[in-house]
Amino acid sequence: MMNKKRRLATAAHCGTGRKKKQAELELRQSEERYRLMIEGVKDYAIFMLDTTGHILTWNEGARRIKGYSANEIIGRHFSTFYTAEDLESQKPARELRIAIETGRYEEEGWRVKRNGSVFWANVVITALYNEQNKLIGFSKVTRDLTERKENEENLRQSEEQYRSLVQQVTDYGIFMMDEKGRIINWNEGARRINGYTNEEIVGKYFSIFYPEEDILNGKPSHELKVARAEGKYEEEGWRIRKDGSVFWANVVITAIYNAQGIHIGFSKVTRDLTERKKAEKELRNSYDRYRVLANELKQTNSELSVANEELEQFTSIVSHDLQEPIRTIKSFLQLIDLKISQQQDEKLKTYIQKSLHAANRMKELIQNLLQYSQVSKATFSRETVKLDELLDEVLQNVKTSVESSQARITIETQVASVYGNRTQLMQLVQNLVSNSLKFRADEDPQILIRCLKEKDQVKFAVSDNGIGIDKDDLEKIFEVFRRLHTEKDYPGTGIGLAICKRIVDRHGGQIWPESIPGKGTTFYFTLNQATTEGLLVS
């Protein structure tokens, strides 16, 4: 019986031993797996310290973050990673003491790598105890937060720059409001536009800037409601300054949300557009005045057009009707002249000759007046006119005068053709050449005709070496019937240059003289050559 009990006890003892060994094996295997897992972590430096702070273990994350291999660092004190300032203040020892007293120590701060560079670290030191509650060392977990620190610093600097920029803006009132519409900051532009200092306005409801009528109608709260619903609210309207004066403002209110999408308030940007509003009002008033003036001018032009048509009609009728009685008077004077013998009455004969001369001059005046009226009255058709053919025809028409005065005419032209009314252009050039031949000095006439291109115009110049024109008379010469000399000295009606000006006007150009008395005159004129088909000048 005793042997049986002994065998049972031995068997039980052996079973307990086997279980204990199995448990110890499983614990070692678990610890090994845990060790391998810790050593393989790369994003965190995880290592053990003894009770005095010397390093016992070293994982891959610690090697990657701090730069030391396990052989280089195990056995060294963990103060190796601290800056000179931290060592001087005995920070490592203080951290261990706090970990013992509270169970753990955590902070963020600068740490030193093997190569001497620093990094921003999150550090957690935990005090470790055995089953008998005896301190056996510390675990230390370090994470490199340098990138996050740099991002935070960049963000802080960016926010600081943005805040400084906003604060210094003077043309726009920019400020923030809480979700209720109370002002929480205030920039220089807002002070300048609205008149309130930062101390006077922060904490006030933004309806302080609105006219009483808008406040009674609930306009400020309506604007915030729209901004919440649509993201922003924008309008132009009247606002009130601190001194009670009003200004025309462009206002933009924007709803602001944090990173979690929670509404935290509003931004408000105000721009003073009072000057622009005044300018728009003045522009409208100017436009109204212009419209009234335009209507009056249109009416006046209409009346002038009618009067001009009546005047031209009257000129034409008078010119035609006066020619008949002149012809009759001239015919009877000629008959009387034939009937009177030279011996009968010499004085009467002289009177009849003077009367005939006056009748001839009257006829010439009437014909020139009719010609002047027909320049603007006749149908104005344009065509491409070859310049050499035009000038040849002009020279042929004045050939007798050129030969009798022994004049020399020179032509210099860069233009092959012009665009205009052939008949009127020929009359224009011929009148100017005839003038040069008529108002000659003692020497033989020298006449130069030039023509050249100038952008969309053709410019002519007719120069002579004649008697010239006084400076005071230059503006008078284009007036109808204006004569600067007596008919006895220089015959003519005084209408030739008036016809020239009217022809140039009809061609969209300008005509003007340049002259030195006793040395000659140059008449310049331009012809507008622009058409819907482009420049017809070659």
Side-chain angles (χ1 to χ4, degrees), residues 339-459:
K339 296 291 183 181
I340 299 174
S341 64
Q342 188 71 24
Q343 290 79 18
Q344 285 179 318
D345 194 335
E346 185 66 30
K347 186 175 290 188
L348 183 59
K349 188 89 170 174
T350 301
Y351 293 160
I352 291 173
Q353 289 300 321
K354 288 185 177 181
S355 298
L356 285 171
H357 179 74
N360 287 330
R361 177 161 174 74
M362 183 68 175
K363 180 182 178 181
E364 186 182 5
L365 285 171
I366 292 171
Q367 288 176 340
N368 286 340
L369 185 61
L370 178 61
Q371 190 178 35
Y372 178 77
S373 67
Q374 287 177 340
V375 169
S376 58
K377 184 178 179 183
T379 303
F380 188 71
S381 59
R382 292 195 188 196
E383 61 182 301
T384 302
V385 181
K386 291 183 178 180
L387 194 56
D388 56 351
E389 293 180 359
L390 178 72
L391 295 177
D392 284 344
E393 193 168 352
V394 169
L395 295 181
Q396 190 62 36
N397 292 341
V398 297
K399 184 177 180 181
T400 302
S401 298
V402 170
E403 292 176 349
S404 65
S405 62
Q406 297 183 338
R408 185 164 67 90
I409 299 179
T410 306
I411 297 174
E412 296 177 0
T413 176
Q414 303 172 0
V415 179
S417 60
V418 294
Y419 188 67
N421 185 278
R422 182 184 184 87
T423 302
Q424 291 189 4
L425 290 178
M426 186 174 65
Q427 185 180 13
L428 168 61
V429 179
Q430 185 172 317
N431 281 1
L432 293 176
V433 173
S434 297
N435 256 27
S436 294
L437 291 170
K438 182 197 301 185
F439 295 99
R440 62 180 181 268
D442 294 335
E443 57 185 316
D444 294 340
Q446 303 291 322
I447 301 173
L448 173 62
I449 302 174
R450 289 170 291 162
C451 182
L452 52 88
K453 297 178 184 178
E454 283 192 353
K455 295 183 181 179
D456 60 347
Q457 289 186 328
V458 172
K459 182 178 180 181

Side-chain angles (χ1 to χ4, degrees), residues 33-47:
R33 287 193 296 271
Y34 179 74
R35 184 183 63 79
L36 293 173
M37 180 187 73
I38 294 298
E39 288 181 353
V41 171
K42 296 180 180 180
D43 293 332
Y44 292 83
I46 304 174
F47 53 94

Side-chain angles (χ1 to χ4, degrees), residues 75-337:
R76 294 177 63 175
H77 198 268
F78 82 109
S79 61
T80 302
F81 314 127
Y82 286 71
T83 63
E85 293 80 5
D86 288 344
L87 294 175
E88 187 177 351
S89 65
Q90 298 182 343
K91 193 171 187 290
R94 186 167 63 252
E95 291 179 0
L96 296 183
R97 185 169 61 252
I98 294 172
I100 293 171
E101 293 172 355
T102 63
R104 68 195 298 269
Y105 173 84
E106 182 174 4
E107 74 148 11
E108 289 187 7
W110 293 109
R111 295 295 185 269
V112 181
K113 295 183 179 181
R114 182 177 181 273
N115 61 9
S117 63
V118 295
F119 67 100
W120 188 259
N122 172 268
V123 176
V124 179
I125 300 175
T126 305
L128 301 178
Y129 296 88
N130 63 13
E131 294 177 351
Q132 289 76 37
N133 202 30
K134 181 180 177 182
L135 179 70
I136 59 173
F138 304 89
S139 69
K140 190 167 185 290
V141 180
T142 303
R143 185 181 182 189
D144 185 352
L145 298 181
T146 305
E147 184 176 351
R148 192 202 71 182
K149 179 71 173 176
E150 290 175 350
N151 290 338
E152 289 176 349
E153 180 61 21
N154 291 337
L155 180 61
R156 186 193 66 77
Q157 291 180 0
S158 176
E159 289 175 345
E160 181 64 27
Q161 291 171 352
Y162 176 75
R163 183 164 52 250
S164 176
L165 173 66
V166 169
Q167 287 297 325
Q168 295 178 38
V169 170
T170 58
D171 292 333
Y172 292 82
I174 305 173
F175 56 92
M176 296 288 295
M177 301 182 290
D178 64 18
E179 66 276 9
K180 301 293 185 182
R182 292 184 293 264
I183 299 165
I184 57 179
N185 61 34
W186 193 248
N187 82 328
E188 176 60 22
R191 184 202 65 76
R192 190 182 65 82
I193 293 172
N194 294 279
Y196 295 92
T197 63
N198 187 74
E199 293 75 17
E200 291 173 323
I201 200 65
V202 169
K204 300 287 181 64
Y205 190 61
F206 82 110
S207 62
I208 193 172
F209 312 125
Y210 288 70
E212 184 178 357
E213 181 181 357
D214 288 347
I215 296 175
L216 294 176
N217 291 333
K219 194 172 189 300
S221 59
H222 170 72
E223 292 178 2
L224 297 185
K225 184 177 179 181
V226 173
R228 282 288 304 271
E230 300 181 8
K232 75 170 186 175
Y233 174 86
E234 182 172 4
E235 73 148 13
E236 290 187 8
W238 293 109
R239 295 296 185 268
I240 300 177
R241 295 189 176 94
K242 177 186 175 183
D243 61 7
S245 62
V246 296
F247 65 99
W248 186 259
N250 172 270
V251 175
V252 180
I253 300 175
T254 305
I256 303 297
Y257 297 85
N258 64 13
Q260 292 72 41
I262 299 173
H263 178 244
I264 58 173
F266 303 90
S267 69
K268 189 168 186 287
V269 180
T270 302
R271 187 180 181 190
D272 185 353
L273 299 180
T274 308
E275 291 302 319
R276 193 200 73 181
K277 186 72 172 174
K278 290 179 180 177
E280 288 176 350
K281 184 178 180 181
E282 291 175 358
L283 184 61
R284 282 195 303 271
N285 293 337
S286 297
Y287 176 72
D288 291 339
R289 291 194 297 268
Y290 167 77
R291 190 167 52 186
V292 172
L293 181 60
N295 289 334
E296 293 177 353
L297 186 59
K298 183 179 179 181
Q299 180 65 28
T300 302
N301 284 339
S302 179
E303 293 173 356
L304 285 174
S305 179
V306 171
N308 191 49
E309 289 178 4
E310 291 176 350
L311 179 60
E312 289 184 352
Q313 185 177 10
F314 170 77
T315 303
S316 180
I317 292 172
V318 168
S319 299
H320 281 91
D321 290 351
L322 284 179
Q323 290 189 78
E324 180 59 32
I326 289 298
R327 279 195 296 269
T328 303
I329 294 170
K330 185 178 177 181
S331 297
F332 279 107
L333 286 171
Q334 288 173 338
L335 287 174
I336 295 171
D337 187 46

